[in-house]
């Protein structure tokens, strides 16, 4: 009480904000902007002075935490330590080792200028919350899978290649060197009309893995071997085989190289994008009898290589016709066929035993409207052939119909012996569920060969780096110069140290393949993955590896990202269960509408219903079983998140993968857009599946990887027509030039 009897009721400021307000009388007069700047400067000064006081935490105010280091709200709080290691050493600790509720609202790690902000706490959302309740897996009885006879296996009767008319020397070579005792159904049906005296144009339709390549390669070599005139490389070019992708072209050329071992005077050749044109021109000048090519590179040589003469061509094969149309090669094919038509009018010395006219063969696993249009442009009076059926009429059969007008079972389906399953995975759990699936497969089969399909090349790069990183060692300091993430493009394969932690076995070899890699790396990757190794192998890839490739002994296909069309799904799963062998495939879908996609779209493509597996069962089997699997899955997720935050390069790689995955998600066909709605994506949870603790602020401008054509990609929202044209252009560049594209590989 003062002397004058007045009671003083004063309260000292207890926070920095109150101090700043109490000092408001010292602010300069004038414009409000000047007063605001002065007030903020005073606030910063007080904060520096009271830093120790402001950071003091009352132990009694801490919320209760469970065994996994999370509070009652399912939020993990972890202090992100200074990326530059101190002299005492040490990296990011376990969950909650530096809990700071005072700063629980702070979640930004990098400031606007890209520099890391240190000594801040970051909110980390939990994998297992009430939003996505995951219960303990129940011990349900094992489901008996329906077994079906293989639909693409070689015949088991007395039919042989010699019996269908193939040259005895060539048939014996196929039996001894390729170990094919009997032809498949499509080979039995296609070879006789192909080697007839006056063959017609052919449309060959069959399931993936049924032997379409030998169905047209064997008749061509048989006809050349049967010529009375002696042939050599100087005799001319007799056959052209056009494939949509470089990988498929290389595979066809490899088959040709093997088969001509019984007739060395027949010379095959190959010209594809990504190779040196000078070397290809020299090869053409020396002379080839059978040429394998991609459409763009062949059209380029037709315009610029004088040594390429087409007057003697008697066979033109268009392999994977549906893929040709998807990539927008119709105009290029029309140009090539027109050039061949003009060249055929030039009189040359005829080769006895060869057809008098050019025979065109179109091969496709599907028979869509655009494929029929391509057939109308390239075929004349064609014979439609599928396994067990052929048509003799001049009228082109409609989609899915045989000559008699009945629906063909082979028109559009997966191999009967394929075991297909789907896993409904909440968005947050996608990353750990992928790890768990790979771990479970390798546990059951230590020599498993797994293909994992992702939506874009940036996602392939990120997951490759994640799988091949050192799991127990910290990443380099962000201040180090010339940091290169693990999995840089000069490395085609590395062992997975992350999976070894849970497998307790020799680590599997991980490969990656997409269209942004240069041609030598793509070729080396396929060669390395095709080798049958003593340990498990994993190939992370885009749809560039989905068509036509005959990779040996693929035991399992994982569609981590759903296909962009049901045709893509058939080709993806067609990498396994080939030539009568068994195979497994798994597709990841999100809860809700994507489950309807499995029921409405995918189930009709399979003879057996798709088997649903619980996400909890997959995680429990991989991460330690009952009671501990949630902890182990959380630790695996947090290890990836810490690894990403230890390097700015890795962080940008994760952001680019997230950004381009979102873009790819919007490119699903309009007929399937109801199942894949971009508006219903929870971008924060999706970022979690890429190891990001917060969603990138801009989808597609600041977070693009170096070298990407970001300006062109910003036009994605300009309508479906724009997107379609851009996709076709990117795919054409991929198939012939090797440019970077975000969707088709």
């Amino acid at each position: 009480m003062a002397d004058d009897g007045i009671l003083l009721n004063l309260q000292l400021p207890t926070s920095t904000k109150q101090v700043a307000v109490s000092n408001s009388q010292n602010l300069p007069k004038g414009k409000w902007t000047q007063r605001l700047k002065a007030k903020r400067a005073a606030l910063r000064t007080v904060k520096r002075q009271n830093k120790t006081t402001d950071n003091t935490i009352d132990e009694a105010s801490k919320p209760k935490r469970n065994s996994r280091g999370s509070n009652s709200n399912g939020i993990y709080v972890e202090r992100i330590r200074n990326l530059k290691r101190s002299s005492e050493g040490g990296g990011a600790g376990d969950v909650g080792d530096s809990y700071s509720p005072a700063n629980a609202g702070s979640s930004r790690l990098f400031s606007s200028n890209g520099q890391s902000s240190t000594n801040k706490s970051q909110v980390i959302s939990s994998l297992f919350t009430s939003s996505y309740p995951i219960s303990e897996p129940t011990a349900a009885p094992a489901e008996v899978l329906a077994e079906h006879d293989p639909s693409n296996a070689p015949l088991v009767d007395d039919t042989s290649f010699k019996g269908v008319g193939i040259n005895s020397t060539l048939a014996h070579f196929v039996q001894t060197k390729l170990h094919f005792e009997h032809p498949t159904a499509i080979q039995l049906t296609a070879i006789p009309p192909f080697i007839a005296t006056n063959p017609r144009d052919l449309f060959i339709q069959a399931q993936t893995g049924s032997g379409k390549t030998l169905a047209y390669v064997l008749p061509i070599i048989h006809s050349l071997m049967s010529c009375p005139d002696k042939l050599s490389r100087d005799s001319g070019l007799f056959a052209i085989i056009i494939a949509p992708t470089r990988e498929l072209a290389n595979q066809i050329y490899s088959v040709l190289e093997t088969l001509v071992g019984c007739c060395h005077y027949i010379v095959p050749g190959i010209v594809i994008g990504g190779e040196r044109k000078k070397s290809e021109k020299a090869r053409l000048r020396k002379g080839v009898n059978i040429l394998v090519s991609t459409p763009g590179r062949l059209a380029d040589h037709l315009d610029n290589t004088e040594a390429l003469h087409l007057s003697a061509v008697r066979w033109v094969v268009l392999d994977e016709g549906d893929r040709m149309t998807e990539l927008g090669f119709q105009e290029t094919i029309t140009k090539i066929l027109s050039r061949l038509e003009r060249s055929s009018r030039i009189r040359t010395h005829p080769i006895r035993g060869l057809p008098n006219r050019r025979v065109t063969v179109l091969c496709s696993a599907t028979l869509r409207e655009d494929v029929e249009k391509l057939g109308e442009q390239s075929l004349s009076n064609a014979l439609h052939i599928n396994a067990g059926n052929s048509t003799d009429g001049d009228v082109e059969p409609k989609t899915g119909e045989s000559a008699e007008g009945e629906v063909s079972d082979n028109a559009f389906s997966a191999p009967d012996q394929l075991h297909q399953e789907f896993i409904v995975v909440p968005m947050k759990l996608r990353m750990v569920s992928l790890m768990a699936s790979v771990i479970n497969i390798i546990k059951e089969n230590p020599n498993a060969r797994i293909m994992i399909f992702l939506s874009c090349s940036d996602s392939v790069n990120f997951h490759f780096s994640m799988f091949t990183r050192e799991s127990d060692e910290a990443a380099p300091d962000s201040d180090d110069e010339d940091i290169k993430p693990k999995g840089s493009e000069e490395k085609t394969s590395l062992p997975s140290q992350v999976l070894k932690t849970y497998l307790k076995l020799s680590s599997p070899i991980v490969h990656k393949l997409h269209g942004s890699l240069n041609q030598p790396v793509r070729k080396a990757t396929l060669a390395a993955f095709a080798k049958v190794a003593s340990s498990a192998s994993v190939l992370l890839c885009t749809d560039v590896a989905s068509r036509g490739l005959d990779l040996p002994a693929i035991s399992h296909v994982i569609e981590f990202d759903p296909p962009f069309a049901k045709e893509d799904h058939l080709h993806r799963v067609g990498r396994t269960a080939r030539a009568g062998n068994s195979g497994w495939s798994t597709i990841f879908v999100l809860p809700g509408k994507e489950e309807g996609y499995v029921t409405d779209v995918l189930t009709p493509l399979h003879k057996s219903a798709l088997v649903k597996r619980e996400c909890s069962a997959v995680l429990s089997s991989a991460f330690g079983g009952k009671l501990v699997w949630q902890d182990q899955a959380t630790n695996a997720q947090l290890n990836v998140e810490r690894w990403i935050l230890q390097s700015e390069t890795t962080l940008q790689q994760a952001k680019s993968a997230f950004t381009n995955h979102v873009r790819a998600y919007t490119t699903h066909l309009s007929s399937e857009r109801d199942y894949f709605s971009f508006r219903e994506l929870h971008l924060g949870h999706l970022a979690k599946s890429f190891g990001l603790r917060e969603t990138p602020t801009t989808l597609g401008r600041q977070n693009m990887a170096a070298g990407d054509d970001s300006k062109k990609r910003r036009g994605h929202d300009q309508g479906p027509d724009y997107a379609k044209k851009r996709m076709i252009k990117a795919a054409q560049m991929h198939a012939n030039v090797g440019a970077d594209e975000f969707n088709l590989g």
Side-chain angles (χ1 to χ4, degrees), residues 54-55 57 77 79 100-107 119-123:
D54 288 343
N55 288 335
I57 302 174
V77 182
R79 181 180 297 277
S100 179
N103 294 325
S106 176
S107 61
N119 297 327
K120 287 186 178 181
S121 295
Q122 184 166 6
V123 176

Side-chain angles (χ1 to χ4, degrees), residues 201 318 325 329-335 337-338 358 360 362 370-380 396:
D201 290 352
L318 306 176
T325 57
F329 286 130
Q330 293 95 326
E331 294 183 4
T332 305
I333 296 299
T334 302
K335 174 183 176 182
L337 295 177
S338 299
R358 174 170 53 84
T360 304
L362 176 61
D370 50 1
V371 179
E372 289 182 349
K373 185 176 180 180
L374 178 61
E376 293 174 358
Q377 296 174 350
S378 58
L379 305 178
S380 176
E396 294 292 336

Side-chain angles (χ1 to χ4, degrees), residues 222-293:
H222 160 83
S223 299
L224 295 178
M225 292 178 64
S226 302
C227 289
D229 299 334
K230 185 178 180 180
L231 301 180
S232 66
R233 66 163 68 237
D234 297 327
S235 301
L237 176 62
F238 300 114
I240 296 177
I241 302 173
I242 304 176
T245 63
R246 305 173 193 173
E247 285 72 26
L248 180 55
N250 275 315
Q251 178 178 289
I252 297 171
Y253 178 70
S254 177
V255 173
L256 282 170
E257 278 191 313
T258 303
L259 291 176
V260 298
C262 64
C263 48
H264 296 286
Y265 51 87
I266 298 178
V267 181
I270 183 171
V271 290
I272 58 175
E275 301 289 349
R276 294 181 58 188
K277 290 184 181 179
K278 186 176 181 181
S279 300
E280 293 179 346
K281 288 185 176 182
R283 192 179 307 139
L284 294 175
R285 280 195 298 268
K286 290 181 179 180
V288 295
N289 304 126
I290 304 175
L291 181 63
V292 183
S293 177

Side-chain angles (χ1 to χ4, degrees), residues 341-560:
E341 187 66 28
R342 293 196 302 268
S343 299
S344 64
R345 300 170 186 167
I346 302 175
R347 292 185 178 182
T348 59
H349 180 69
I351 303 295
R352 292 182 298 169
L354 298 186
N356 296 326
R357 56 176 292 274
R358 174 170 53 84
V359 178
T360 304
V361 180
L362 176 61
C363 301
S364 177
T366 61
L367 188 57
R368 302 192 310 258
E369 181 179 354
D370 50 1
V371 179
E372 289 182 349
K373 185 176 180 180
L374 178 61
E376 293 174 358
Q377 296 174 350
S378 58
L379 305 178
S380 176
N381 189 25
L383 189 68
H384 179 206
I385 295 176
N386 55 28
N389 296 292
S390 63
T391 61
D392 297 325
D394 296 334
V395 180
E396 294 292 336
K398 298 301 180 182
T399 303
E401 295 181 358
S402 63
E404 294 78 13
E406 298 177 356
V407 178
S408 172
D409 293 336
N410 303 327
F412 198 64
S413 63
D416 293 348
Q417 74 273 20
L418 175 68
H419 300 293
Q420 174 80 17
E421 64 181 15
F422 70 100
I423 307 175
V424 181
V425 183
M427 205 173 298
K428 278 186 175 183
L429 300 176
R430 278 172 52 83
M431 179 187 293
V432 292
S433 296
L434 176 62
M435 296 182 190
S437 296
V438 175
I439 291 170
N440 291 334
I441 293 172
I442 299 178
K443 280 183 178 179
E444 296 179 2
N445 182 8
N447 297 324
R449 300 169 62 77
I450 309 167
M451 294 184 70
I452 303 176
F453 285 95
L454 299 105
S455 61
C456 57
S457 57
D458 285 328
S459 183
V460 171
N461 289 333
F462 166 73
H463 286 89
F464 179 83
S465 299
M466 181 195 71
F467 276 126
T468 57
R469 67 187 174 88
E470 293 291 341
S471 59
D472 296 327
E473 297 182 11
D477 293 339
S478 60
D479 294 337
D480 292 346
E481 296 180 358
D482 301 328
I483 293 178
K484 288 186 178 181
K486 288 180 170 57
S488 56
E489 293 184 357
E490 64 270 13
K491 300 178 181 179
T492 58
S493 62
L494 287 172
S496 174
Q497 300 297 332
V498 176
L499 298 180
K500 184 178 180 181
T501 303
Y502 299 96
L503 288 170
K504 298 180 175 60
L505 299 170
S506 59
S507 56
I509 302 299
V510 181
H511 311 260
K512 68 175 180 178
L513 180 67
H514 56 75
S516 298
L517 299 174
N518 58 49
Q519 184 58 29
V521 172
R522 291 163 66 173
K523 189 175 181 179
T525 298
L526 277 179
F529 184 66
K531 291 181 180 179
V532 179
S534 58
S535 61
S537 298
V538 178
L539 177 64
L540 299 162
C541 57
T542 58
D543 280 338
V544 72
S546 67
R547 303 295 183 108
L549 295 185
D550 187 16
L551 299 171
I554 300 299
S555 60
H556 209 113
V557 170
I558 297 177
E559 295 182 271
F560 187 55

Side-chain angles (χ1 to χ4, degrees), residues 543-613:
D543 280 338
V544 72
S546 67
R547 303 295 183 108
L549 295 185
D550 187 16
L551 299 171
I554 300 299
S555 60
H556 209 113
V557 170
I558 297 177
E559 295 182 271
F560 187 55
D561 295 326
F564 299 98
K566 61 182 179 181
E567 295 87 355
D568 295 328
H569 167 74
L570 283 180
H571 286 286
R572 284 177 171 186
V573 300
R575 298 315 97 207
T576 185
R578 299 178 68 84
N581 297 317
S582 61
W584 284 83
S585 64
T586 302
I587 183 171
F588 283 63
V589 294
L590 299 176
K593 291 184 177 180
E594 290 191 14
E595 297 181 64
Y597 171 75
V598 174
T599 304
D600 301 338
V601 180
L602 298 187
T603 299
L605 306 180
H606 298 266
K607 195 165 187 178
S608 301
L610 279 71
V611 178
K612 181 178 180 179
R613 293 193 63 192

